Every structure is written in C-alpha cells, then in structure tokens.
Amino acid sequence: RSIELLSEYINQYNAGGDQALIDYLEGSRNFRTGFWQGYQGQDVGAIVDLGNIERISLIKIGALQDIQSWIWLPKTVEISISKDKLSWTSVDLINAPLPADQYGAHKKIYTAKANSNARYVKIHATYPGNCPDWHLGSGGKAWIFMDEISVE
C-alpha cells in the first residue's frame, strides 16, 4: 500500500511523515501523543493505493475532536473508490458524529461499507470552518486531526 496526500499537514503534528495515515498506528484521545496528523485551516484529502484491485468491504478513518485545543471533527468525510484513479464512485458521505460545541477529547471513526472491487480509496474530509464566535479562539483557523485509514 501507498498513500498520496492531497493536503499539506503541519509539520508540528506530522505523526511520523507522509505514510502516517497508513502506518497501522492509531492515535488516542490525546492529540499530543504524536500519532495524529494535524491539518489547519483546510480540507484534508488522501488517496490510498492498494497496489492491486481487491475486494473492499469496509473503509475506516479516525478523527479527533478536542475543541479546547481548536481541534474539530471534519464537517463531513466523503469516501470514494476507483479501479483506475480516473473514475470515482462515492461510497459514503458521513456527517460529523458529534456536535461542534461538545467539549472534551473524543476520538471518532468514520466508517463506510464498500462491498466492491477497487484499487484506490479516496478520503475527503471537509474543513469545519474557523473557530466559532462563542469559542475562545473566535475566528482562528481550526485544526483537523486524522489518523489511521484502514481498508478491509
């Protein structure tokens, strides 16, 4: 497997570099552990290449919400698959599973059932927007923290 990042992570939260989202190491609810890859002020996109066309049943990606630290879950996560990296089929569009104003550290797994053959899996996580008016960081660029993409 390999991964092509379509967004640029912030080096301070690199989780080990370009292959971190497929390194089989999952982040905990503590973003400071070094297993989370952090993106600020932008959508997050990545394409996983499985190397061959394979039967895919389930696709998962982890995300973190810790709004005290300016980290929100993506507004939505779209998961798509392709055999040729040219023509894509959307498998699911998943809304954030927590309210944007929920404090505490929460790790969530976005999961989509594929039940199809594909070689490529594309993840597109939508930026939740800048810190809202009621937040201490009002107007500041929020973070998205992502971890392991798993394909079964």
Side-chain angles (χ1 to χ4, degrees):
R1 311 188 300 167
S2 63
I3 189 167
E4 173 187 355
L5 298 177
L6 306 175
S7 308
E8 193 172 326
Y9 56 85
I10 304 301
N11 196 49
Q12 178 182 358
Y13 299 107
N14 64 35
D18 292 353
Q19 301 297 306
L21 295 180
I22 58 169
D23 65 1
Y24 300 102
L25 300 173
E26 292 188 23
S28 68
R29 289 185 301 144
N30 181 352
F31 73 92
R32 295 173 184 89
T33 61
F35 292 113
W36 289 98
Q37 201 160 72
Y39 298 81
Q40 191 175 31
Q42 63 181 308
D43 290 356
V44 178
I47 298 173
V48 177
D49 181 351
L50 301 175
N52 298 297
I53 294 176
E54 297 181 14
R55 185 76 180 164
I56 299 173
S57 58
L58 202 60
I59 302 161
K60 300 188 263 183
I61 183 162
L64 184 69
Q65 179 162 300
D66 187 348
I67 65 175
Q68 185 171 340
S69 300
W70 299 28
I71 303 167
W72 270 267
L73 291 172
K75 191 175 199 172
T76 61
V77 172
E78 183 172 20
I79 299 173
S80 304
I81 57 174
S82 174
K83 291 180 181 175
D84 59 9
K85 205 175 169 185
L86 299 172
S87 176
W88 293 91
T89 301
S90 180
V91 174
D92 207 346
L93 178 66
I94 309 159
N95 292 316
L98 282 178
D101 62 353
Q102 186 159 343
Y103 279 87
H106 306 277
K107 177 182 176 179
K108 295 296 176 185
I109 308 294
Y110 291 79
T111 304
K113 293 181 181 178
N115 297 320
S116 190
N117 294 325
R119 175 176 173 172
Y120 301 96
V121 174
K122 181 166 53 174
I123 307 291
H124 180 89
T126 306
Y127 180 61
N130 291 347
C131 297
D133 292 341
W134 52 262
H135 190 268
L136 182 62
S138 175
K141 290 183 181 178
W143 290 84
I144 295 176
F145 272 51
M146 307 297 285
D147 77 349
E148 198 63 26
I149 298 170
S150 93
V151 181
E152 300 173 11

